[in-house]
Amino acid sequence: MRERKVQFEMWDSDDPVPRVELLKRVKGCEGILCVLTEKIDAQLLNAAGPNLKVVSTMSVGFDHLSLDELKKRGIRVGYTPDVLTDCVAELTVALLLATSRRLIEATHEAKTGGWGTWRTLWLCGHELANSTVGILGLGRIGVAIAERLKPFKVKKFIYTDVALRPELANMIEAEYVSLDELAKQSDFLAICCALTPETYGICNWNLFSKMKKNAIFINTSRGGVVNQEDLYEALSTGLIAGAGLDVTTPEPLPTHHPLFTLKNCVILPHVASASYTTRNSMSALAANNLLAGLRGEPMPKELKL
Ligand SMILES: O=CC(=O)O
């Protein structure tokens, strides 16, 4: 194989490249490797110009990419599914338990003098044993979450999606239900769907008002699937018991945001895939996608446009 050298320019910082800077620097590039903070839209693609052949995102989510614009220009897209599934599922379980067993409140009480004598109902939460767990958007990550939750003696898994997912559902013996039934039956509801025009704001008052009072809502997908005003209302009025969010709108969520005032809302700064192993695998896969795209070869993980 003939060796070809790739010239690249790297934004050598953990902070996102400022938009104006990015627009300047992409000019004439054949490939772009980005993360989810970079909006790859018509403006950016125009700034890059006609040489651009491939965009490789170091993420499983691709709502920051204008797929129509990419497709129109014949630009190929790589992303990083699979390599982060275990890590995201693990964090989702951790967040679910932290929320349902009120761990953040409990450590705060212990540290700040709230810990008096042993009290019968103090800091009681909700347990997974005998519960029904609902999954909104059953993909690889939803299955991995259910596999990890099963040993906690969950009674039943249910899911909803735009279509039946028999192969994945069989792996975890999950039953397909409507969105209404998902809301009504779930003791724990894990949101695992991609953010698309169809799922934007799908977790709204209509959904929360059908949920159980003891329900725990967990979102590790994208903040845009949740109507945060409605979630605040549901949590602050006791319509549902708690929420654990790894993703919000916007990110970062301003520290004065009302959701931060609620004890029954645990908010993490979008860290579901943040393990050293997973981030290394994601960057290697993103780089290999990019190189394959530049060579005109099949990418290890290419998004079908
Ligand atoms: O949110 C993280 C990702 O999409 O990889």
Side-chain angles (χ1 to χ4, degrees), residues 36 57-64 79-81 84 88 141 220-222 246-247 251 270-273 278-279 282:
L36 50 83
T57 180
M58 190 184 128
S59 62
V60 66
F62 42 82
D63 47 287
H64 54 300
Y79 71 138
T80 62
L84 47 58
V88 171
I141 293 175
T220 49
S221 65
R222 285 289 183 269
D246 183 47
V247 285
E251 292 182 4
H270 202 151
V271 289
S273 67
T278 290
R279 289 285 164 85
M282 289 168 74

Side-chain angles (χ1 to χ4, degrees), residues 38 49 58 70 90 98 101 128 137 155 210 245 277 285 297:
E38 275 73 64
M58 190 184 128
L70 286 154
E90 182 176 287
R101 298 303 302 272
L128 276 161
K155 188 175 70 194
K210 295 186 181 111
L245 312 174
T277 309
L285 178 52
E297 292 171 2

Side-chain angles (χ1 to χ4, degrees), residues 207-261:
L207 181 105
F208 298 131
S209 62
K210 295 186 181 111
M211 287 174 73
K212 296 181 180 179
K213 261 176 93 77
N214 63 287
I216 301 289
F217 175 86
I218 301 296
N219 186 13
T220 49
S221 65
R222 285 289 183 269
V225 302
V226 177
N227 179 316
Q228 289 178 173
E229 285 73 40
D230 291 355
L231 178 63
Y232 175 83
E233 211 50 36
L235 288 169
S236 59
T237 57
L239 193 62
I240 64 171
L245 312 174
D246 183 47
V247 285
T248 57
T249 312
E251 292 182 4
L253 192 66
T255 51
H256 61 265
H257 194 282
L259 283 171
F260 277 122
T261 65

Side-chain angles (χ1 to χ4, degrees), residues 57-235:
T57 180
M58 190 184 128
S59 62
V60 66
F62 42 82
D63 47 287
H64 54 300
L65 311 179
S66 300
L67 300 184
D68 289 349
E69 296 293 338
L70 286 154
K71 189 173 175 179
K72 212 161 70 185
R73 292 166 170 80
I75 297 168
R76 293 169 66 195
V77 175
Y79 71 138
T80 62
D82 302 330
V83 291
L84 47 58
T85 300
D86 287 336
C87 193
V88 171
E90 182 176 287
L91 186 285
T92 306
V93 172
L95 179 57
L96 183 149
L97 290 170
T99 308
S100 59
R101 298 303 302 272
R102 302 170 63 181
L103 300 189
I104 310 303
E105 262 184 279
T107 57
H108 179 77
E109 291 294 327
K111 251 202 254 179
T112 57
W115 187 0
T117 55
W118 188 92
R119 278 169 277 167
T120 315
L121 289 179
W122 189 49
L123 286 172
C124 281
H126 299 281
E127 65 187 64
L128 276 161
N130 287 314
S131 67
T132 296
V133 172
I135 299 167
L136 175 53
L138 186 65
R140 300 162 291 249
I141 293 175
V143 168
I145 293 168
E147 285 170 344
R148 282 158 179 76
L149 291 180
K150 201 174 162 60
F152 286 89
K153 299 190 175 172
V154 168
K155 188 175 70 194
K156 190 176 170 190
F157 290 103
I158 54 179
Y159 78 101
T160 202
D161 209 316
V162 283
L164 287 163
R165 309 262 179 238
E167 271 176 33
L168 293 172
N170 284 344
M171 291 167 73
I172 51 165
E173 294 174 60
E175 183 191 323
Y176 181 86
V177 295
S178 65
L179 184 59
D180 267 16
E181 281 305 312
L182 193 80
K184 283 184 197 157
Q185 292 184 34
S186 298
D187 297 301
F188 296 86
L189 179 55
I191 310 304
C192 303
C193 58
L195 175 60
T196 63
E198 292 73 40
T199 61
Y200 179 80
I202 195 170
C203 301
N204 53 21
W205 189 254
N206 186 36
L207 181 105
F208 298 131
S209 62
K210 295 186 181 111
M211 287 174 73
K212 296 181 180 179
K213 261 176 93 77
N214 63 287
I216 301 289
F217 175 86
I218 301 296
N219 186 13
T220 49
S221 65
R222 285 289 183 269
V225 302
V226 177
N227 179 316
Q228 289 178 173
E229 285 73 40
D230 291 355
L231 178 63
Y232 175 83
E233 211 50 36
L235 288 169

